[in-house]
Amino acid sequence: MSSNFWTSSHFRQLMDPEDVDVVQQLDKDRGITLEDFKLIKMQMANYIAKLAQSVKVRQRVVATAITYMRRVYIRKSMSEYDPRLVAPTCLYLASKAEESTVQARALVFYIKKLYNDEKFKFEIKDILEMEMKILEALNYYLVVFHPYRSLSQFLQDAGVHDVNMIQLSWGLVNDTYKMDLILMHPPHLIALACIYIASVYREKDVTAWFEELRADMNVVSYLKPKTLLSLQASSSRVAARRSSFSDCVFVTTRG
């Protein structure tokens, strides 16, 4: 894995916002709207997190899996790549990439345990076959840089010792994976935006520290309201549409 974000494949794959939320034509033909597309990806992220709790992997593995999933649907349709299978397969692939390997048979076991639905009855071979398709969709670029390392360094540098603010900052970073921010912005800027939001909520004055940074504060200022609004919108969409993952509006090749 590259140790420098700026020379990594992750940096080269950063995209403009207008290029991320694009519904593939095949999905449009099946009635999937942009709102549906965003909701399904959010539910997939929750699905990955739920599976990860069962197989007991680190949060970094979860974040990498969600990033893979979001990268896949920039290039491929949900009609061709069944989200119910893509989600656990991304977790399987991420566990290997992050050297925290999960056995495919364990994923199959917990999928059946969590979802008593015929549409979720996958076998090991299904995950292994989808793994190859996902690798191709990702062009075999598996490197992902996350905001976590930067977050730890920034909090220490800023002299933040308030446990509640630290926990809130980490929670906000985790919540950003409900969106596509990791596909569009350098991870250190996402970390800074989360610290900024946490400082406002916890009424901690870190203005002087931010002023000393060489980071592009225009981008941080842009991310701050975007992150808040997106998280609020995400919560509203989930509250308004409580349908289960298996009842999503997409129609896949599995029927």
Side-chain angles (χ1 to χ4, degrees), residues 19-146:
D19 296 324
V20 172
D21 278 326
V22 177
V23 181
Q24 300 292 329
Q25 188 59 49
L26 189 56
D27 289 338
K28 288 181 181 179
D29 294 342
R30 299 197 178 199
I32 296 179
T33 65
L34 180 57
E35 185 70 11
D36 294 329
F37 183 54
K38 291 179 179 180
L39 179 63
I40 293 168
K41 288 191 292 183
M42 193 191 315
Q43 289 177 323
M44 288 180 71
N46 292 336
Y47 176 21
I48 289 171
K50 187 181 294 187
L51 269 179
Q53 286 183 333
S54 297
V55 296
K56 295 179 173 57
V57 293
R58 296 173 297 141
Q59 175 60 32
R60 183 182 178 86
V61 177
V62 177
T64 298
I66 293 172
T67 304
Y68 288 167
M69 175 270 290
R70 293 186 177 279
R71 284 179 177 175
V72 165
Y73 289 121
I74 289 173
R75 304 179 178 94
K76 303 296 180 181
S77 72
M78 292 183 170
S79 301
E80 295 175 297
Y81 283 61
D82 186 345
R84 290 167 293 228
L85 180 55
V86 167
T89 306
C90 283
L91 182 59
Y92 176 65
L93 182 58
S95 74
K96 292 198 289 186
E98 297 293 350
E99 299 181 350
S100 183
T101 305
V102 173
Q103 297 297 321
R105 66 170 60 89
L107 287 171
V108 168
F109 171 80
Y110 284 110
I111 292 169
K112 292 176 180 178
K113 186 175 181 179
L114 291 170
Y115 298 95
N116 185 23
D117 188 319
E118 287 292 327
K119 295 176 181 177
F120 283 85
K121 288 194 174 180
F122 301 110
E123 301 300 333
I124 294 175
K125 67 178 180 63
D126 297 319
I127 289 180
L128 298 181
E129 290 173 359
M130 179 56 75
E131 180 187 20
M132 296 309 300
K133 294 178 67 175
I134 289 175
L135 281 168
E136 291 178 5
L138 296 174
N139 291 326
Y140 297 91
Y141 291 133
L142 302 180
V143 173
V144 181
F145 282 79
H146 297 290

Side-chain angles (χ1 to χ4, degrees), residues 88 149 174 245:
R149 179 181 295 181
N174 289 339
F245 186 60

Side-chain angles (χ1 to χ4, degrees), residues 1-15 71 143-147 149-150 181-190:
M1 175 177 171
S2 172
S3 59
N4 187 337
F5 170 75
W6 305 107
T7 61
S8 71
S9 58
H10 186 159
F11 171 65
R12 295 195 298 272
Q13 292 184 85
L14 289 181
M15 303 180 70
R71 284 179 177 175
V143 173
V144 181
F145 282 79
H146 297 290
R149 179 181 295 181
S150 296
L181 294 181
I182 196 67
L183 305 186
M184 299 181 286
H185 304 288
H188 74 283
L189 291 182
I190 296 175

Side-chain angles (χ1 to χ4, degrees), residues 218-236:
N218 289 326
V219 177
V220 174
S221 298
Y222 161 77
L223 280 175
K224 178 170 70 87
K226 182 178 179 63
T227 302
L228 278 173
L229 290 173
S230 296
L231 290 174
Q232 291 167 356
S234 296
S235 300
S236 299

Side-chain angles (χ1 to χ4, degrees), residues 157-158 206-215 217:
D157 185 60
V206 291
T207 305
W209 178 76
F210 268 97
E211 289 176 348
E212 292 176 1
L213 292 178
R214 295 181 180 180
M217 291 308 297

Side-chain angles (χ1 to χ4, degrees), residues 142-204:
L142 302 180
V143 173
V144 181
F145 282 79
H146 297 290
Y148 300 114
R149 179 181 295 181
S150 296
L151 182 67
S152 294
Q153 294 172 342
F154 287 147
L155 288 170
Q156 183 177 4
D157 185 60
V160 175
H161 303 295
D162 182 339
V163 174
N164 291 321
M165 180 172 164
I166 292 172
Q167 291 178 341
L168 179 57
S169 299
W170 280 87
L172 285 167
V173 168
N174 289 339
D175 284 345
T176 63
Y177 288 90
K178 295 177 181 179
M179 301 163 282
D180 292 308
L181 294 181
I182 196 67
L183 305 186
M184 299 181 286
H185 304 288
H188 74 283
L189 291 182
I190 296 175
L192 285 174
C194 290
I195 292 174
Y196 196 99
I197 294 169
S199 71
V200 173
Y201 270 94
R202 296 297 305 168
E203 298 182 346
K204 297 290 183 180

